[in-house]
Every structure is written in structure tokens, then in C-alpha cells.
Amino acid sequence: MNIFTPQKNTGYTLLFAVLVTAIVLSVAISILSISRKEFLLSTSARESQFAFYAADSGMECAAYNDLVNGIFSSTTTPPTEISCANATSTIPAPTIVASSTNPAITSYTYIWSGKLGTSQCFSVDVTKEYDTSGGGLSVVTLIGSRGYNVGWNIGVTPPDCSAVNPKKVERKLLLVH
Amino acid sequence: MKTNTTQSNSGFTIIETLVAITILMIAIAGPLTVVSKGLTAALYARDQMIGSYLAQDAIEFLKNVRDNNKLAGGSTTWLTGITGGATTCSQSAPCTVDTINGDPTGVTTYGIVQCSYGSPTCGQMYLVSSGDLGGYSHTASGIKTQFTRTFYITSSSANPTGEAKLVVTVSWKNGTVPNSVVLQNEIFDTFR
């Protein structure tokens, strides 16, 4: 004889509780995931500005030393060091490339890195293209500056911006004159 | 004969009730905490965006002052209005810049004011929303925001006449937690 007759509504409370919990939890997780993305985006926007102004500092330093001090103008005595942001950087010997299409064009590329503040870093390359094909001498200067929010590496000689960091952001500026 | 001696399922014991209440509390309080943390992070993200753009605003304005000074020439030095005259924006005595009411050419006013702590010029910025010139200003009109912005300039020891460092600090508070964005940029006695 079955004395425990089954009730038709058994388990409804549990189902309801699980349902409500699942809905509340999914709303919470979705809000958190949106907020997390906003947070990461705003942080990367801020870090990107640090990188941008590091690149800008490097570019202005190169432009100033080129336009005002003219340190890149002589190919016979290439610059060996440059002072930016209260620090002196070593400039290695330039890379000299003769154009394969026009033998009258020779470019000299100088590359150095510098530090801005505690962690920001910039890596600058200045290329001077000397063109004698028109009879006279025409010079085109290209200044490329990569800025980083972090990444100053003193483990190499000379120090550069090669330190690995998952937060690293790079911005580049190019100036042609 | 044994007929229905135990009635274990007829109701909840106090222990079962307590366990159920505990589980429900965790199930509700957990997500609520998560939502609250998420909203705080979203507010922080918003303020951080505003703060970093306010810092950029000041740096670009000051570089524009430099460029205008270079174009003006004559007795105008490249840092006229920023330092060396009535205002000397040093680290110990920073300045504020009002990019809405200031004039980067310096014809009317640069909008650069030496900060003396406690005076309204160094306090929180006001958000003005009127026409094309809406934005953050130090003039007391519009909505008072939680952002303060100061800057200073230091000349380079290696190149005192031709190089200087601009440092802009934007500070704000999320509740009671202070936050800030510090943006720095080297400027040179040249323009582009």
C-alpha cells in the first residue's frame, strides 16, 4: 500500500530558486564583463597617451637637434651622442644605404633611444636622404619616433625600449621635412 | 504492524531552514557585490578617460602657446606666458590653465594662472555646456566637477634655454579614493 501519495507541485520551489539565482547571476556577470572591458579600454587609452607623448618628446628632440643644432647635417663627423629629457643617449654609427634605383641618393640613418620620466621610453630614427641627381644637393629628412609607456631596458648597451611588458603600448610619429 | 511511524518529510527543521536562508543569502549577496564592483569600475573608467583627455587638453594648449610665441618672434621668448614673466609655473608653485577662456596667442589673456592653494583658480573645474565652447573651465559657471588640473614646467639642466619638461597633473576622487593622471612631455625651442 502506498501511503505517500506523490504531490503534483513537488520541486517547484527549488526550480524557482535555481531560476532566480541563474537570472541574477547572469545579469551580474554581464554587467561585470561590460565594466571590465570599459576599465581595460580606459586604461589602454591612458597608457596610449603616455606612449604618444613619449613619441612626441623624442620627435621634438630629434627635430630640435636637427633644425637648431644641426647635429645630423655632417656625414663626415656623425653625431655620437644626443641629449634629450636630461639624459644623454649614445648614437651608434649610422647605417648608410645607397639607393638601388637611383645611385645619386644615399641615406644615413641614425637610431637611438631615450627615457622620459620614470618609465616612458622613445626610440627615434633619423634618416637623411642626400640626393645629388638634380645637379645640386637636396636633402630630405625623415624623423620616426616610437613612444612606449614602459619598456626601458638597461640590460643592453646602449639601453633601449626593448623590455618586455604585457602592458606595453607603442605609438609612432613620423616627421618629414 | 508498522504504519507510518516516521514523518521526516512533513516539514522543515530549523537546521534546514537556516541552511536554505544561508544559501539564498549567498546567492543574492554575491551577484549584488559583483554588480556594485562592476559599477564602481565603470565610473572609474569614465573618470580616467575624462582625466587623461583633460591632461592632453592642457599639454596641447601649452604647446600651442609655444608655437604662437615662436611665430610672434621679437621680444617674445618661446615660453612667454608659461614661465619667466608674471607666472613662473614651477613644481613648488604650479599653475592652472583655462583652455576655454584662455587665448594661446596671448593677445587677450593666456588663461594661465599661478596656483595659490585655496583660491578658486586652483580648485575643481567647472563643466560648461554652451554652444561651441563647451568644456572644462576654471571660471565659476556651469556644473562643478570633481576634477582639478595643475601643471608645471622645469627647464632641462643639460639644455636650459632650449628644452623644458611639461608635467600636467589631473586629480579627482572616486568617493574617497584619490586618483590622478600625470602626463609629461618634453618641449623644445622649435615648432612644426
Side-chain angles (χ1 to χ4, degrees):
Chain A
M1 194 179 91
N2 189 2
I3 49 168
F4 295 106
T5 50
Q7 288 177 292
K8 288 211 170 70
N9 291 332
T10 305
Y12 181 74
T13 312
L14 183 66
L15 178 71
F16 191 70
V18 168
L19 212 65
V20 168
T21 312
I23 290 170
V24 170
L25 204 65
S26 63
V27 168
I29 288 174
S30 61
I31 288 180
L32 190 73
S33 101
I34 292 170
S35 301
R36 187 171 169 273
K37 278 182 195 128
E38 281 181 0
F39 179 77
L40 291 177
L41 264 176
S42 75
T43 305
S44 84
R46 188 193 61 184
E47 296 298 319
S48 159
Q49 279 198 332
F50 293 154
F52 178 83
Y53 283 105
D56 186 73
S57 301
M59 192 197 70
E60 285 218 10
C61 183
Y64 175 80
N65 280 286
D66 183 36
L67 295 168
V68 178
N69 294 341
I71 66 166
F72 300 108
S73 56
S74 169
T75 54
T76 48
T77 51
T80 52
E81 56 183 32
I82 188 168
S83 171
C84 308
N86 270 338
T88 303
S89 306
T90 308
I91 306 180
T95 313
I96 304 165
V97 179
S99 169
S100 56
T101 52
N102 186 348
I105 299 177
T106 311
S107 65
Y108 291 73
T109 303
Y110 309 87
I111 299 173
W112 80 94
S113 299
K115 190 160 100 80
L116 175 68
T118 50
S119 61
Q120 295 160 53
C121 184
F122 51 83
S123 173
V124 186
D125 54 272
V126 176
T127 302
K128 286 253 176 193
E129 276 183 6
Y130 295 93
D131 186 353
T132 53
S133 56
L137 174 70
S138 75
V139 185
V140 175
T141 308
L142 294 101
I143 298 173
S145 179
R146 294 164 197 270
Y148 303 90
N149 55 338
V150 289
W152 182 243
N153 184 5
I154 53 166
V156 292
T157 311
D160 62 11
C161 306
S162 62
V164 178
N165 190 319
K167 280 171 61 188
K168 199 171 183 181
V169 179
E170 176 183 304
R171 295 285 292 269
K172 182 173 178 178
L173 286 168
L174 183 64
L175 178 70
V176 181
H177 66 89
Chain B
M1 200 177 90
K2 197 174 176 185
T3 62
N4 204 9
T5 49
T6 55
Q7 286 202 325
S8 58
N9 289 334
S10 61
F12 287 120
T13 65
I14 188 77
I15 303 291
E16 284 172 331
T17 313
L18 285 175
V19 168
I21 288 172
T22 311
I23 291 173
L24 266 177
M25 273 173 64
I26 292 169
I28 298 297
L32 272 182
T33 317
V34 169
V35 167
S36 149
K37 292 267 179 202
L39 290 177
T40 311
L43 287 177
Y44 175 71
R46 184 198 65 183
D47 291 341
Q48 187 164 249
M49 286 298 263
I50 297 173
S52 54
Y53 281 116
L54 279 175
Q56 183 179 14
D57 176 42
I59 284 201
E60 293 299 333
F61 184 90
L62 295 167
K63 285 176 75 174
N64 195 4
V65 170
R66 188 271 317 262
D67 291 350
N68 279 305
N69 285 341
K70 286 297 289 178
L71 286 169
S75 62
T76 312
T77 67
W78 68 294
L79 289 177
T80 296
I82 302 175
T83 192
T87 51
T88 304
C89 307
S90 64
Q91 190 165 7
S92 54
C95 293
T96 58
V97 54
D98 193 329
T99 56
I100 292 182
N101 300 305
D103 173 16
T105 62
V107 172
T108 52
T109 170
Y110 286 106
I112 296 169
V113 181
Q114 189 93 44
C115 225
S116 53
Y117 285 99
S119 84
T121 51
C122 271
Q124 288 144 289
M125 304 180 81
Y126 291 84
L127 177 57
V128 192
S129 48
S130 58
D132 295 337
L133 283 175
Y136 286 81
S137 158
H138 283 285
T139 309
S141 69
I143 307 157
K144 193 175 190 182
T145 67
Q146 54 180 333
F147 294 96
T148 59
R149 179 173 68 189
T150 59
F151 78 91
Y152 66 88
I153 187 162
T154 51
S155 64
S156 157
S157 58
N159 183 9
T161 53
E163 179 179 354
K165 181 195 271 183
L166 278 176
V167 182
V168 177
T169 306
V170 177
S171 313
W172 71 94
K173 279 185 176 175
N174 284 106
T176 52
V177 186
N179 291 295
S180 65
V181 171
V182 180
L183 205 55
Q184 49 186 323
N185 186 218
E186 294 282 325
I187 58 171
F188 289 81
D189 186 4
T190 178
F191 70 100
R192 16 177 238 285

